[in-house]
Amino acid sequence: MLRKISISLMATAFVMTGYAQTEASPEQKPTTSEAAPEDDKPTTTISGSADTYYRYDFYKTKSNNFTSFTNSHNSIELGMASVKIDHKRGKVNMVADLGFGKRAQEFAYNDEGVVSAIKQLYVSYAPAEWIKFTAGSWATHLGYELVDPQLNRNYSMSYMFTNGPFTHTGLKADFTAGKHGFMLGVANPTDYRTAPEEGLNKKHFIGQYSIAFTENTKAYVNFVAGKAPDSSKANQIDLVLTTKISDKFSLGYNGTVANYKFKQANGNKYLASQNWWGSALYVNVDPVSWFGLTLRGEYFSDKDMIKVYSSEPKGGSIFATTLSANFKVNSFIIIPEFRVDNASENIFTDTNGSKKSTAGNFLLAAVYSF
């Protein structure tokens, strides 16, 4: 009942504010001979990116990769060609963000055909400066890393990004009050642009609280909860911290924990709560404008065998260290990267087919954005 009431209230607010904006009195409506207000003139921004990479696994196998977008060995791979159209007129904004390639396919893994090329597609309406309503599909608010490679300092992705949500499709409202920000929304099950069949279509609640301690130091607390199509109950809470100490040094942090309750086989009762969690620190150093380094250290725990260890005899953890350089020439970035993953159990495979607890690789990526 509370879930239905929440959806009804948010939908009513969206419709009423839209009605108040469009149904102005005759005195307020401009005649055809009057010029449109300056802030009502339409503006369109087009941006995009393209990336490609080469990855060499030191054990000469791609089976040692457990994170998104870089599942290859000794091969030059296409990442994603992306184009984003951002159109705004007055208080209404439309975003169509499309991606083509393996990166986009993995990001939209629940979709088929042309729909899998949609990274984001939404319309926003801001009746006032402190509130904005959004309907459609958008990239998740959880996590530190983003799907677009030019927006990350490391090219390979973290375990937390890989195993967390990618997208949400639904309705949300953003509120701002000084240094504080709030977001509340209702969405389809995580990563479903088209909701599953009736009976499995359980809506999820999403939320975010943000605070700007200073201009350079910010914090975000993110949340998502609901019932998955497999009838399991899931929730994830996520913390992101960013701080810029100087023009040459900045830090980022991401910590997250996801909890699940699965149903018993052939029963309606739920098993005890299980979880996976992770924590990562990002250290960014930029000695000159054209060169920077980022060291990512991530600890990922999967003791309940939900994600990486789901096919293993026992659960465990992974500590992954990634060092990436960024060489910049205008909008072009070259990223050489070394990565070493240390697991508590033997989950990696060496050149001879033997199981190992450590694996490493070298990656070279090229990213252009406009």
Side-chain angles (χ1 to χ4, degrees):
M1 175 61 76
L2 289 176
R3 185 173 300 173
K4 293 180 179 178
I5 293 173
S6 299
I7 297 173
S8 299
L9 288 174
M10 293 187 69
T12 301
F14 188 82
V15 171
M16 291 302 293
T17 50
Y19 180 84
Q21 173 65 18
T22 56
E23 293 298 314
S25 64
E27 294 79 14
Q28 294 172 317
K29 293 181 179 179
T31 64
T32 54
S33 61
E34 292 178 334
E38 187 67 26
D39 60 358
D40 196 44
K41 292 182 179 179
T43 60
T44 302
T45 303
I46 300 177
S47 59
S49 66
D51 64 284
T52 183
Y53 76 94
Y54 170 84
R55 180 179 179 272
Y56 187 89
D57 184 272
F58 296 149
Y59 285 145
K60 300 180 181 180
T61 174
K62 65 179 183 180
S63 63
N64 290 327
N65 179 70
F66 294 102
T67 59
S68 299
F69 309 147
T70 52
N71 189 33
S72 64
H73 162 65
N74 196 24
S75 174
I76 298 173
E77 296 285 327
L78 302 178
M80 177 174 66
S82 180
V83 60
K84 181 179 180 181
I85 303 171
D86 192 331
H87 181 82
K88 183 176 182 180
R89 181 164 188 173
K91 298 179 179 182
V92 180
N93 188 45
M94 182 279 293
V95 170
D97 189 2
L98 307 177
F100 305 89
K102 287 187 176 180
R103 195 179 185 100
Q105 287 178 334
E106 288 189 41
F107 186 69
Y109 64 93
N110 275 327
D111 300 314
E112 297 180 357
V114 69
V115 180
S116 64
I118 298 175
K119 290 156 55 190
Q120 300 185 101
L121 181 60
Y122 60 84
V123 177
S124 296
Y125 172 62
E129 291 184 357
W130 59 273
I131 186 170
K132 179 176 70 173
F133 297 99
T134 301
S137 183
W138 56 87
T140 185
H141 53 294
L142 275 74
Y144 180 86
E145 299 176 11
L146 302 169
V147 63
D148 296 292
Q150 74 275 17
L151 302 179
N152 300 319
R153 305 265 303 206
N154 303 111
Y155 186 82
S156 67
M157 310 305 291
S158 68
Y159 286 93
M160 286 184 288
F161 174 92
T162 300
N163 294 289
F166 285 175
T167 63
H168 305 287
T169 300
L171 174 68
K172 65 176 180 176
D174 290 273
F175 310 88
T176 57
K179 296 182 178 181
H180 305 273
F182 305 88
M183 183 274 286
L184 294 172
V186 179
N188 290 340
T190 295
D191 296 340
Y192 278 91
R193 295 224 170 81
T194 298
E197 61 185 87
E198 195 64 33
L200 302 177
N201 181 7
K202 307 297 183 181
K203 293 297 180 282
H204 284 199
F205 287 99
I206 60 175
Q208 181 184 75
Y209 167 70
S210 62
I211 180 171
F213 297 105
T214 66
E215 183 179 350
N216 294 325
T217 302
K218 300 176 182 179
Y220 306 83
V221 180
N222 310 302
F223 182 76
V224 60
K227 185 177 287 188
D230 64 1
S231 295
S232 64
K233 295 178 180 179
N235 67 77
Q236 184 174 348
I237 188 167
D238 180 88
L239 172 65
V240 174
L241 299 171
T242 62
T243 183
K244 182 179 178 181
I245 298 173
S246 70
D247 290 338
K248 297 183 178 181
F249 187 68
S250 62
L251 297 171
Y253 173 79
N254 184 202
T256 195
V257 58
N259 295 288
Y260 299 83
K261 281 190 175 182
F262 298 98
K263 274 191 174 181
Q264 293 179 341
N266 301 320
N268 293 320
K269 293 185 178 180
Y270 287 90
L271 300 171
S273 179
Q274 298 175 292
N275 69 71
W276 64 262
W277 63 273
S279 183
L281 179 66
Y282 302 77
V283 181
N284 308 308
V285 180
D286 297 283
V288 290
S289 61
W290 55 267
F291 174 73
L293 287 170
T294 291
L295 178 65
R296 176 182 62 201
E298 179 189 18
Y299 181 85
F300 183 82
S301 176
D302 189 25
K303 299 294 179 64
D304 291 329
M305 299 182 290
I306 300 172
K307 296 296 184 178
V308 178
Y309 285 82
S310 60
S311 60
E312 299 296 324
K314 61 181 293 188
S317 61
I318 300 172
F319 184 79
T321 304
T322 307
L323 179 62
S324 305
N326 283 225
F327 294 91
K328 306 171 187 176
V329 181
N330 296 322
S331 298
F332 182 52
I333 308 174
I334 299 174
I335 308 174
E337 179 177 291
F338 287 95
R339 176 170 178 155
V340 177
D341 291 37
N342 293 283
S344 60
E345 307 296 327
N346 294 331
I347 62 172
F348 303 112
T349 305
D350 69 8
T351 308
N352 299 318
S354 301
K355 285 294 189 178
K356 299 292 183 180
S357 62
T358 302
N361 66 79
F362 169 77
L363 184 148
L364 180 64
V367 182
Y368 181 83
S369 60
F370 62 92

